[in-house]
Amino acid sequence: MKALAELAKRRGFFFQTGSAYGGVSGFYTYGPHGATLKATVESAWRERWATREGHDEIDAPTIMPEAVFEASGHLDGFDDLLVECPACEQSHRADHLVEGQTDIAEAESYTAKEIEGLLAEHGITCPSCGAPLAEEPVEQFNLMFETAIGPGSTNRGYLRPETAQGIFVDFPRLREYARGELPFGVAQIGRAYRNEISPRNAIVRTREFNQAELELFFDPDEDEPDLESVADVEAPLFSAEAQTADGEPSFQTIGAAVESGPIADDWVGYYVGVATAWYDRIGIDLDRVRFRQHQAAERAHYARDCWDAEADVSGPGQDPEWIELAGIANRGTYDLSHHEAHTDERYRVFSEYDEPRTVERASVEPDMAALGPEYGSQAADIAAALEDLAETDQRAFEGETVAVEVDGETVEIPTEQTGFAVEEVTERGEQITPHVIEPSMGIDRTVYTILVHAYDEDEIDGEERTVLRLPPEMAPTLVGVFPLMDKDGLGEQARNLAADLRAVGLSVTYDDSGAIGRRYRRQDEIGTPYCVTVDYESLDDGTVTVRDRDTTDQVRVGIDELAATLAALQDGELAFDQL
Ligand code: GAP
């Protein structure tokens, strides 16, 4: 929406960074109102997704060593499909070109070879210069920004492409803070970096952006979410099945969707419910939201099931334009087991049985006095291989000899030299790798959607105005305070009033420049829900006018009850028409 982008720049929500230097695509700065709105979204997220759920929040570094991303799979699997135009040398996301120039949706799930075929079959052209791309190769392009840690180039690092890895790598320590008890959640809000091939739509697709992620660690055999608390929430669900059948999203209660499909996972259902209610609260229009289930081929390398929250950010009268606000994924044990495999740490928790269990435990005590002279330096590896085998396959020790693989060679060891024994032991529990459910939200896209859904144009007293209908809780400024004129003591009283309101924690803009109507328009454009005017009557009877942004109705309120009235309006305890 061009009008919104202009408003965002003019009124200090967001603008492209460093335009004096020509600006680099994919980098945006939040201006004063945008920074406040972003901070409010983050606080609302923290309150709902961390504090209210009883989860801890951490703040990890944004640069991590290569080994972390080798383990996480990002080094090998975090690619987008790139095609370069032979004529103008512009780079493009090949799957986006296919989506834009054909009826194919979700082309992200196609392979490079398949996309090459589609470029040729559909005569796809370069959107910048119109040159044909039918013959061009499509490549996998890794989205991570690489850097060198410290002097020299041997210690390679990467800017994190998701905040999540900062939580996973330090799971062994975070587990201690949770006293090793599942389920527990760890939240994080912070920057993430992706070297996007074609950043677009202002803050919707940037190269440096903000995520708010929750990693919920749980035991799938034991832990259940509080489904009851969201059972009645009606969420707009777009199942994989409905997508395949060219169907539409439909509102279903979370209770029904989890009980009889399409949501198979209770935890995913719970978070779809929490997200629906949260979006409604922060000013996102649920009639322009859908939760879309990923098709199997579309899921990220780590995800077992995933539902994306998507919002329509088209302008009035345009075709819907869906952007992804969040992903709610079941990541299984993928991350913890990979970090365990790449380190010497255990990424598990001790899970206690209801009752202690007596089990048979096999062990070996290899006769090193015999193995040492015969196998020399290989003897220790043979002993380790025998230990592994005893844990996994007791029957291998039933014959005269036991076969183990060492350095690609099969070695036969006389069973009597293995010291194999089976004994009964009583165990209180076992070490398990927790599963992970991850609601992962893009803060910038949330801010953008709030603005698009709040944006409106109407006519007041024959004059057109632009207005952001933000919920009072989200508005960067709660109240504009104006003197009717800056004379006869009106200015002084209005300045004192603004200071008093700020002193009780309300966000206030003081404005005495220009005609009063223009001051109202300015506040309407930044979504200020209330404007207070100090006029001559105020000097006589100690009241001011309070104007409502949406209806433009005005009422007189006593100065001594103004702060409490505004706070109640902000918290939703009072509606303007009750004044
Ligand atoms: N940890 C999981 C993860 O990172 P994702 O779907 O790749 O999942 C989560 O990202 C959210 O981050 C997205 O739903 C989106 O809102 C936001 N996001 C991703 N790439 C972005 C970009 N280039 N610019 C702005 N926001 C982005």
Side-chain angles (χ1 to χ4, degrees), residues 396-402 412-417:
F397 294 83
E398 282 174 1
E400 297 275 300
T401 59
V402 183
E412 296 274 345
I413 308 292
T415 308
E416 62 188 24
Q417 288 181 7

mmCIF file of all heavy atoms in Angstrom, residues 396-402 412-417:
data_model
loop_
_atom_site.group_PDB
_atom_site.id
_atom_site.type_symbol
_atom_site.label_atom_id
_atom_site.label_comp_id
_atom_site.label_asym_id
_atom_site.label_seq_id
_atom_site.Cartn_x
_atom_site.Cartn_y
_atom_site.Cartn_z
ATOM 1 N N ALA A 396 23.750 -60.700 20.222
ATOM 2 C CA ALA A 396 25.040 -60.797 19.535
ATOM 3 C C ALA A 396 26.072 -61.532 20.394
ATOM 4 O O ALA A 396 27.101 -61.991 19.895
ATOM 5 C CB ALA A 396 25.554 -59.401 19.205
ATOM 6 N N PHE A 397 25.777 -61.668 21.704
ATOM 7 C CA PHE A 397 26.743 -62.304 22.613
ATOM 8 C C PHE A 397 26.380 -63.765 22.893
ATOM 9 O O PHE A 397 26.941 -64.400 23.781
ATOM 10 C CB PHE A 397 26.803 -61.514 23.939
ATOM 11 C CG PHE A 397 27.373 -60.127 23.777
ATOM 12 C CD1 PHE A 397 26.575 -59.075 23.354
ATOM 13 C CD2 PHE A 397 28.719 -59.875 24.033
ATOM 14 C CE1 PHE A 397 27.079 -57.806 23.187
ATOM 15 C CE2 PHE A 397 29.240 -58.606 23.874
ATOM 16 C CZ PHE A 397 28.425 -57.559 23.451
ATOM 17 N N GLU A 398 25.431 -64.314 22.108
ATOM 18 C CA GLU A 398 24.971 -65.672 22.405
ATOM 19 C C GLU A 398 25.898 -66.749 21.852
ATOM 20 O O GLU A 398 25.906 -67.880 22.318
ATOM 21 C CB GLU A 398 23.547 -65.869 21.851
ATOM 22 C CG GLU A 398 22.510 -65.226 22.755
ATOM 23 C CD GLU A 398 21.111 -65.267 22.164
ATOM 24 O OE1 GLU A 398 20.922 -65.813 21.057
ATOM 25 O OE2 GLU A 398 20.201 -64.719 22.826
ATOM 26 N N GLY A 399 26.726 -66.413 20.835
ATOM 27 C CA GLY A 399 27.591 -67.423 20.189
ATOM 28 C C GLY A 399 28.971 -67.530 20.836
ATOM 29 O O GLY A 399 29.228 -66.967 21.905
ATOM 30 N N GLU A 400 29.854 -68.220 20.156
ATOM 31 C CA GLU A 400 31.236 -68.409 20.629
ATOM 32 C C GLU A 400 32.042 -67.123 20.500
ATOM 33 O O GLU A 400 32.931 -66.843 21.289
ATOM 34 C CB GLU A 400 31.933 -69.476 19.745
ATOM 35 C CG GLU A 400 31.305 -70.841 19.820
ATOM 36 C CD GLU A 400 31.850 -71.607 21.011
ATOM 37 O OE1 GLU A 400 33.065 -71.823 21.069
ATOM 38 O OE2 GLU A 400 31.044 -71.938 21.930
ATOM 39 N N THR A 401 31.723 -66.377 19.398
ATOM 40 C CA THR A 401 32.446 -65.121 19.164
ATOM 41 C C THR A 401 31.439 -63.986 18.943
ATOM 42 O O THR A 401 30.270 -64.223 18.623
ATOM 43 C CB THR A 401 33.350 -65.203 17.907
ATOM 44 O OG1 THR A 401 32.514 -65.489 16.797
ATOM 45 C CG2 THR A 401 34.451 -66.225 18.056
ATOM 46 N N VAL A 402 31.956 -62.762 19.099
ATOM 47 C CA VAL A 402 31.129 -61.566 18.885
ATOM 48 C C VAL A 402 31.805 -60.747 17.787
ATOM 49 O O VAL A 402 33.021 -60.496 17.861
ATOM 50 C CB VAL A 402 31.050 -60.715 20.166
ATOM 51 C CG1 VAL A 402 30.145 -59.516 19.963
ATOM 52 C CG2 VAL A 402 30.595 -61.543 21.343
ATOM 53 N N GLU A 412 36.388 -60.356 14.996
ATOM 54 C CA GLU A 412 35.690 -61.400 15.765
ATOM 55 C C GLU A 412 36.395 -61.562 17.114
ATOM 56 O O GLU A 412 37.593 -61.859 17.154
ATOM 57 C CB GLU A 412 35.756 -62.737 15.017
ATOM 58 C CG GLU A 412 35.036 -62.750 13.686
ATOM 59 C CD GLU A 412 33.554 -63.080 13.821
ATOM 60 O OE1 GLU A 412 33.150 -63.564 14.898
ATOM 61 O OE2 GLU A 412 32.813 -62.812 12.851
ATOM 62 N N ILE A 413 35.662 -61.387 18.196
ATOM 63 C CA ILE A 413 36.252 -61.490 19.540
ATOM 64 C C ILE A 413 35.630 -62.695 20.254
ATOM 65 O O ILE A 413 34.388 -62.821 20.265
ATOM 66 C CB ILE A 413 35.957 -60.217 20.372
ATOM 67 C CG1 ILE A 413 36.365 -58.951 19.620
ATOM 68 C CG2 ILE A 413 36.605 -60.272 21.763
ATOM 69 C CD1 ILE A 413 37.853 -58.796 19.433
ATOM 70 N N PRO A 414 36.434 -63.553 20.876
ATOM 71 C CA PRO A 414 35.833 -64.668 21.642
ATOM 72 C C PRO A 414 34.934 -64.097 22.739
ATOM 73 O O PRO A 414 35.342 -63.175 23.458
ATOM 74 C CB PRO A 414 37.047 -65.386 22.246
ATOM 75 C CG PRO A 414 38.213 -64.951 21.397
ATOM 76 C CD PRO A 414 37.903 -63.605 20.874
ATOM 77 N N THR A 415 33.715 -64.634 22.842
ATOM 78 C CA THR A 415 32.725 -64.074 23.776
ATOM 79 C C THR A 415 33.271 -64.072 25.209
ATOM 80 O O THR A 415 33.020 -63.142 25.977
ATOM 81 C CB THR A 415 31.416 -64.878 23.707
ATOM 82 O OG1 THR A 415 31.028 -64.941 22.348
ATOM 83 C CG2 THR A 415 30.292 -64.208 24.497
ATOM 84 N N GLU A 416 34.062 -65.098 25.556
ATOM 85 C CA GLU A 416 34.565 -65.159 26.945
ATOM 86 C C GLU A 416 35.495 -63.999 27.269
ATOM 87 O O GLU A 416 35.681 -63.644 28.427
ATOM 88 C CB GLU A 416 35.277 -66.498 27.195
ATOM 89 C CG GLU A 416 36.491 -66.679 26.308
ATOM 90 C CD GLU A 416 37.082 -68.078 26.422
ATOM 91 O OE1 GLU A 416 36.333 -68.994 26.790
ATOM 92 O OE2 GLU A 416 38.277 -68.222 26.143
ATOM 93 N N GLN A 417 36.093 -63.361 26.197
ATOM 94 C CA GLN A 417 36.982 -62.209 26.462
ATOM 95 C C GLN A 417 36.205 -60.879 26.606
ATOM 96 O O GLN A 417 36.787 -59.839 26.859
ATOM 97 C CB GLN A 417 38.006 -62.055 25.322
ATOM 98 C CG GLN A 417 39.064 -63.129 25.321
ATOM 99 C CD GLN A 417 40.068 -62.941 24.193
ATOM 100 O OE1 GLN A 417 40.054 -61.938 23.493
ATOM 101 N NE2 GLN A 417 40.933 -63.923 24.020
#
